Amino acid sequence: MDFSFTEEQTLLRNSVNKFVAGQYDFDKRRALIKTEAGWSKANWQAIAELGLLGAPFAEEHGGLGGGPVETMIIMEELGRGLVVEPYLPTVVLGGGFLRHGGTAAHKLEHIPAIVEGQRVIAFAYAEPQGRYNLADVAVSAKKSGSGFTISGHKAVVIAGPQADHFVVTARTAGGQRDAKGISVFLVPKSAKGVATRDYPTVDGLRASDVTFENVAVGAESLLGEADHGLPLVERVVDEAIAAISAEAVGAMKVLNDTTVEYCKTRKQFGVPIGKFQVLQHRMVDMFMNYEQSVSITYMVTLKLDESDHERKKAASAAKVQIGKAGRFIGQQAVQLHGGMGMTDELNVGHYFKRLTMIDTMFGNVDHHLKRYAALSDDAKAA
Amino acid sequence: MDVSFSPAEEAFRHEVRSFIAENYPKHLRGKSRGEFGGREDFLAWHRILADKGWVAPAWPTQYGGPGWTSTQRYIFAEECARAETAIILPFGVNMVGPVIYTFGTEEQKKEHLPKILSGEVWWCQGYSEPGAGSDLASLKTTAVRDGDHYIINGQKTWTTLAQFADWIFVLARTDKNAKQQEGISFILVDMKTPGVTVRPIITMDGAHEVNEVWFEDVRVPVTNRIGEENKGWTCAKFLLSHERAGIAGVARSKRGVQRLKDLARAERDGENPLIADPDFARGVAELEIDLTALEYTELRTLAGEAAGKGPGLESSILKIKGTDIQQRLTELTLDAVAYYGMPYRPYGHELETLTNEYVPGPDYSHGAAQSYFLTRRVAIYGGSNEIQRNIIAKMVLGL
């Protein structure tokens, strides 16, 4: 039983922290998200130079050979700075598909490029009708010669505008919501028939709706086994859930610290408002929500490599805790800052928006409570 | 970071599990504390663990602790919860024992610690008073010096299981003129001393667990004081932080969630088992997830202790969240059993006057409502959950 970090892990945290503190102060970020591109290639290169883009990859591909704990540390620190560069889509999601589903050739072609900052991947999975069901896939991939032809519409693809490749879920067999018959493809954005409509999201990111019109891809673009892609998708998404849980923990910490500091200095009725017990207890509840979120993030991070059943339960548990805590902390941070909390010029709203969107990503509290309950009821067979 | 158990730890778990299976008293199996007949039922398991050297997992070895790591203590608690053994009462082992070995003299340690371990002396806690609950330091019980003795006068209340106790540890005011917290001493009192009277308080569920304890000119040797005169508040605070650490009850609640799920599979709701009802299942899932987070919060605290930090301010979180979960567990259980939550299950102390020959409903429904009512207390005792929030606000957030 050990919750301490190794010396290397502490150094890693310090280096991310230094980058965020040095290059990601609130005003710089606020200016950055208002630019046309909405991200900075210079930042991306700086992140690459710190080795962060290689964190989870094998050393033979230029990576650091890190595991879930390293990803957790990086995401938590990126969360503190609300970093908008596409680390999650490229390294955690795209990288996850390559690590778990890619062939040796895939890895050789794409991982070194990711590590060097030359490749940005976006994960195109959600569809307009599908809500949070990863198996609700209407985009089709029809066998054609030795390859496939992909057609359909993917919704709110985070980092779509920045990406040069998409990981796409498509149906190669079965009905629209069948678990079987889903395949995963790696498709260059430059492929003929791929069209994107780009837009900003409320939390300062960039996204696209992507349409595929008879996009011809070769058999080599398949990641993992044809028709049996769902378990791969679930695994990578669960890893992404662990990663955004850590990101959320970083954001929650900033909101809580900011709120406590504000309540110590803001005076009304002649005293700092932090002297009022009703506000003190609210901040204690924020603090407990944060601590419980740290705990559940450790839990899911340490369970990512267990059985599918355990991993899924852990990911859903984390997503529920993080979703609830993120909303509570965000809402209360705004409330305790009063009118100032409503403004764009204060950082509070920006963290609140990101935490709220984290709840939406990969399924909200309601979705994961149902998933958890269903998985939990399976235990009756045991 | 690593939460896996080593082969040695797994072997330890096996050893504990076998020991419980072979040695837990047969006549207590399946019985909850409310069904215990009397003093002997409470003490039976204590004595067995004492003989084995396992009754005080957290004590230093020099005083009779088993020398376990925090992980071993966690495993031991899990196995006891799994087997639903009787709880070892905290008043001796978790409360006054650590105060005595931390602040007591050699004579006091020699006199009291072995009897706490063996179960020969049953302790109770003389803290709360009718006018001093959350504001404990406003207590009015006095101990006035008379040569080599103190003369104690006053009233304590909410004294758990005082009807069985041999000794009581008392916070009493030894300096009326000092500021509130500075004039208090921590004094050990033999319950057989003339002038000590115990009166029962029956709680709304029907249980007789708590009592009033009255002191009328009770003469106690000065050598029964732990620590310096007027410095008892240090002991009091030390004890409270130890009390909170154990109060989370994570392992017991995990077992409780399993039981709840079992009974929700047995209960029918129309065509389906109750567990298939989405509203009910949601409540259970939320509870289980909160408990999972709390389990890791507790593990983090244990890891911190192992690294040399005492039970810190996190113990207030454990208390608040742990008791919240205990309450929700009994509430969901009450919801689950529907009508058969209504029949009253007499307690051990009532069996002479109330018959219990016909027990309606399935086993798991017995006493569900009473357990729900009794469990309201957990957010009140050990420093109410509002007081715990005050502690975190002041000590952690610096407000």
Side-chain angles (χ1 to χ4, degrees), chain A residues 169-378:
Chain A
T169 56
R171 188 157 287 290
T172 41
Q176 190 185 311
R177 282 178 288 275
D178 287 353
K180 226 186 123 193
I182 292 167
S183 304
V184 183
F185 297 93
L186 184 61
V187 182
K189 194 191 220 172
S190 58
K192 191 162 173 280
V194 177
T196 57
R197 302 295 298 269
D198 300 345
Y199 44 85
T201 58
V202 290
D203 52 352
L205 302 183
R206 294 296 184 274
S208 313
D209 270 34
V210 185
T211 51
F212 299 85
E213 206 180 325
N214 296 318
V215 177
V217 296
E220 77 288 349
S221 65
L222 193 62
L223 288 168
E225 207 186 329
D227 295 346
H228 298 282
L230 188 61
L232 171 64
V233 171
E234 288 176 322
R235 179 174 182 189
V236 174
V237 167
D238 286 343
E239 290 177 354
I241 285 173
I244 57 171
S245 296
E247 182 189 350
V249 160
M252 289 176 198
K253 174 78 174 142
V254 174
L255 273 185
N256 279 359
D257 289 351
T258 305
T259 304
V260 167
E261 272 320 298
Y262 179 75
C263 289
K264 282 178 184 169
T265 50
R266 168 76 176 170
K267 282 190 176 175
Q268 291 288 275
F269 308 102
V271 291
I273 61 174
K275 289 290 167 203
F276 299 126
Q277 193 179 41
V278 71
L279 301 192
Q280 290 181 351
H281 286 198
R282 195 83 53 80
M283 285 183 271
V284 170
D285 286 340
M286 293 165 75
F287 170 72
M288 290 196 297
N289 266 281
Y290 163 75
E291 289 292 339
Q292 290 280 82
S293 298
V294 171
S295 294
I296 213 140
T297 300
Y298 286 2
M299 187 277 299
V300 65
T301 301
L302 295 169
K303 286 199 170 182
L304 285 179
D305 293 326
E306 291 200 7
S307 71
D308 284 358
H309 184 85
E310 283 298 304
R311 186 205 69 227
K312 288 179 191 180
K313 266 185 82 172
S316 283
K319 200 63 177 49
V320 169
Q321 167 64 32
I322 293 292
K324 283 185 184 177
R327 286 206 178 185
F328 181 79
I329 289 171
Q331 290 168 358
Q332 299 310 325
V334 171
Q335 179 69 20
L336 268 57
H337 278 84
M340 278 307 294
M342 290 300 300
T343 63
D344 183 68
E345 70 183 78
L346 201 69
N347 64 2
V348 168
H350 295 261
Y351 284 92
F352 178 36
K353 287 188 284 187
R354 180 62 193 145
L355 283 172
T356 308
M357 292 306 104
I358 283 176
D359 178 37
T360 300
M361 287 186 81
F362 310 118
N364 63 8
V365 169
D366 284 346
H367 173 81
H368 281 284
L369 268 175
K370 280 188 203 129
R371 184 184 186 228
Y372 185 90
L375 289 162
S376 185
D377 198 24
D378 285 345

Side-chain angles (χ1 to χ4, degrees), chain B residues 163-229:
Chain B
Q163 69 266 38
F164 301 132
D166 304 301
W167 281 70
I168 182 169
F169 52 93
V170 173
L171 291 179
R173 194 159 294 289
T174 35
D175 182 353
K176 279 185 181 172
N177 301 318
K179 277 202 293 180
Q180 269 205 347
Q181 297 169 352
E182 286 167 14
I184 292 170
S185 298
F186 190 102
I187 301 169
L188 313 180
V189 181
D190 185 335
M191 297 284 280
K192 288 188 296 293
T193 317
V196 178
T197 313
V198 177
R199 293 177 192 159
I201 301 172
I202 305 299
T203 43
M204 62 175 139
D205 59 304
H208 172 205
E209 283 224 349
V210 286
N211 302 273
E212 297 174 345
V213 181
W214 296 72
F215 297 85
E216 204 183 332
D217 293 331
V218 176
R219 285 181 69 83
V220 178
V222 169
T223 49
N224 282 13
R225 191 190 67 230
I226 303 290
E228 289 176 49
E229 191 171 78

Side-chain angles (χ1 to χ4, degrees), chain B residues 233-277:
Chain B
W233 192 249
T234 311
C235 302
K237 275 197 307 187
F238 169 85
L239 183 150
L240 282 173
S241 75
H242 275 256
E243 181 183 8
R244 283 196 294 271
I247 228 162
V250 169
R252 298 269 163 182
S253 289
K254 273 171 80 175
R255 180 72 188 113
V257 169
Q258 266 181 18
R259 266 187 171 276
L260 173 65
K261 282 159 73 172
D262 287 345
L263 79 85
R265 282 177 199 122
E267 281 287 316
R268 306 301 298 181
D269 177 38
E271 294 287 302
N272 300 310
L274 178 63
I275 193 84
D277 172 64

